[in-house]
Amino acid sequence: QVHVVESGGDSAQAGGSLRLSCSASGEQFGRYCMGWFRQAPGKERDGVVSVSTYGLTRYADSVKGRFTIAKDPAKNSLDLLMNNLTPEDTGMYYCAAGCALPSLESTAFPYWGQGTQVTVSS
């Protein structure tokens, strides 16, 4: 069983930055392909970025050039650095683990955290 926990959600102004962190326990962290998803109110959960165990990444077009993912096996953490935020980035952000290959599809991930809220105001 893998336990996933997110942290770092907050409010920010448009153009600002936030850093989200995800920790996974229960298995060897470095074995897992992981990712970040987000869900705005009334909308589907969308993939933001995912990273393989070898560091191969896949970003959604909407965040390319603004968001960066950093995996630290020593800390068992997966951080999402979000720059130049816009109100469209508002939503609940979820960390997920267990994909076979980097994917932006939620069905590829069997393990999920409870989410952390990000709110961006104009």
Side-chain angles (χ1 to χ4, degrees), residues 3 12 34 62 76 91 94 98 100 104 110 112 119:
H3 185 55
M34 300 184 69
S62 60
N76 277 8
Y94 298 90
L104 299 179
W112 290 84
T119 303

Side-chain angles (χ1 to χ4, degrees), residues 16-103:
S17 299
L18 286 173
R19 189 181 190 102
L20 306 182
S21 185
C22 171
S23 63
S25 61
E27 293 287 342
Q28 186 177 352
F29 179 82
R31 294 173 53 191
Y32 282 104
C33 171
M34 300 184 69
W36 282 96
F37 289 74
R38 66 186 180 187
Q39 188 167 19
K43 296 187 177 180
E44 295 184 352
R45 188 173 298 186
D46 293 327
V48 175
V49 60
S50 64
V51 56
S52 74
T53 55
Y54 301 103
L56 181 66
T57 58
R58 184 174 178 182
Y59 287 87
D61 289 342
S62 60
V63 305
K64 285 181 180 177
R66 301 189 299 121
F67 290 12
T68 303
I69 199 167
K71 193 175 183 181
D72 188 343
K75 297 181 179 179
N76 277 8
S77 68
L78 179 71
D79 289 357
L80 178 65
L81 179 59
M82 305 184 292
N83 293 318
N84 195 20
L85 288 163
T86 73
E88 288 69 35
D89 295 317
T90 293
M92 186 69 76
Y93 281 69
Y94 298 90
C95 182
C99 52
L101 293 171
S103 174

